[in-house]
Amino acid sequence: MRDHPRLPTSPGFWRSPLRGPWFTSLLGLVLLAGITVLFVTGLVSYAAYNPGLSRVNDMTPDKGLLGFYLFAWPTDPVWLYRLTQGVHVTLGITLIPVLLAKLWSVVPRLFTLPPARSLAHALERLSLVLLVGGGLFEFTTGVLNVQLDYVFPGSFYPLHFYGAWVFFAAFVAHAALKTPAAVRAVRRRRQEQSDLVSPRPAAPTVSRRGALGLVGGGSLLLFLTTVGQSLGGPFRRTALLAPHGTADPGGGPNGFQINKTAAYAGITPADTHEDAWRLVVTGRTKTVRLSRAQLLRLPQHSASLPIACVEGWSTADQWWRGVRLRDLAALVGYDGDPPDVLVESLQRHGAFRRAALRANQVADGRSLLALFVNGEELSPDHGHPARVIVPAAPGVLNTKWVGRLTFGDL
């Protein structure tokens, strides 16, 4: 049965002349570099959420030692999260053709008999299950998240986070075993005997160079139709693969990307009317309730900042104006260095109704409770009557429809 040419367990079943050590090794080395960057930028993205600061920011409870590297996320440069998450999402989508080509190049090994020749061989094949399964899981959930299509069970954050550690552990073990041989195979540039080489190859329909061109062209196409969402502004029109299920922001000063609308968050005009809405600010010495008119009488400051989200999209810099968070902290007893703050939204359902910001984020003079954007009042979908805007913070920490600020060590 093993040698029957019509069964996939037979080496003769796989007849493509493209398969071989050189083709597989070159794709593997590209993935070695790309997936390493993906893993690092993914960890950086998780740190940007400040999960070690407060449980309200931590979407991956019981992470234990996996949170060993967490650090206080900085506010400079203001485009930091825009860059790191843009690289993470754009590179992940760009690598999809390379990943699929690599899996195609080694598919005969999935049908090798016997499935395990020894204990060591069995362990190696088990690691490949984690490697292939983990890779497909991470890329699939990542693409679905970018498209705002949460069809998988459970929350994206813990699934993607824990899946990344499982996948990368198998990836590191595989790379340690295979990288030296892959480098040698690429340097020799000639086809060598291997279990990937067909014993009776079919006539070639495309050269190895042509196949690599096809893979590279597919990656380039995905790059060009994705990268615009991270650049923002007019480049967003080229981001054909960016999520398009969100509300049309229209034109004018408020005409930039919206992910979460007021209707989705359950915000009604009655909640935000000037006669009903009050900002509650609690601190060391007292609690104050401020109307929008009272906020407008406080010193106003401006900052030019982008919004960058986990899905990889970014706005161009918008001109925000409002009250500095550190000035609001001073109103309730923090005249010196301000502490952390817990921000609570009027939002009725969905994730990140509350978010915690570190003291260094509160202290930055560009961190605002924004009342205006680009010279106009915030629209309902952009957070009217007031929203938080913080340099370099993920979009979900720039809370909209703010109802309460609680200053103190979290």
Side-chain angles (χ1 to χ4, degrees), residues 292 320-323 368-372 378 383 385-389:
R292 184 178 167 87
W320 308 89
R321 185 164 180 80
V323 183
L368 304 175
L369 180 75
L371 307 174
F372 300 89
L378 296 168
R387 71 170 296 164
V388 165
I389 187 75

Side-chain angles (χ1 to χ4, degrees), residues 180-404:
V183 171
R184 289 194 299 270
V186 169
R187 285 177 175 174
R188 287 170 183 160
R189 297 184 62 84
R190 64 177 186 270
Q191 194 77 295
E192 297 180 342
Q193 277 305 115
S194 164
D195 59 339
L196 293 176
V197 178
S198 175
R200 52 188 195 95
T205 57
V206 63
S207 66
R208 284 187 296 171
R209 182 175 297 180
L212 289 175
L214 182 63
V215 174
S219 289
L220 179 61
L221 179 62
L222 290 176
F223 174 81
L224 293 176
T225 53
T226 301
V227 69
Q229 72 166 353
S230 300
L231 299 177
F235 295 102
R236 184 167 173 78
R237 298 174 185 172
T238 68
L240 302 179
L241 297 183
H244 293 283
T246 52
D248 182 358
N254 279 273
F256 55 94
Q257 173 77 1
I258 297 167
N259 253 21
K260 186 188 298 179
T261 65
Y264 169 84
I267 305 298
T268 67
D271 298 317
T272 58
H273 191 275
E274 61 183 35
D275 293 334
W277 180 82
R278 294 294 183 271
L279 174 70
V280 179
V281 185
T282 300
R284 175 189 291 155
T285 59
K286 59 182 176 179
T287 295
V288 297
R289 293 171 57 86
L290 301 170
S291 67
R292 184 178 167 87
Q294 289 172 313
L295 285 169
L296 289 172
R297 288 196 290 270
L298 295 174
Q300 303 290 298
H301 297 268
S302 298
S304 180
L305 300 172
I307 297 176
C309 278
V310 70
E311 294 89 2
W313 65 262
S314 303
T315 70
D317 288 359
Q318 311 297 322
W319 195 254
W320 308 89
R321 185 164 180 80
V323 183
R324 294 185 301 192
L325 292 183
R326 70 188 192 193
D327 292 343
L328 291 170
L331 283 179
V332 290
Y334 295 98
D335 295 321
D337 292 334
D340 310 326
V341 63
L342 176 65
V343 185
E344 298 179 72
S345 173
L346 300 178
Q347 179 181 339
R348 289 183 169 82
H349 57 83
F352 290 101
R353 297 186 298 275
R354 301 186 299 161
L357 298 172
R358 289 187 184 274
N360 67 304
Q361 294 173 311
V362 176
D364 194 298
R366 297 163 296 182
S367 296
L368 304 175
L369 180 75
L371 307 174
F372 300 89
V373 63
N374 299 323
E376 185 175 282
E377 281 192 10
L378 296 168
S379 69
D381 287 340
H382 280 303
H384 179 82
R387 71 170 296 164
V388 165
I389 187 75
V390 176
V396 291
L397 299 187
N398 293 314
T399 308
K400 297 193 284 188
W401 314 292
V402 176
R404 179 183 291 270

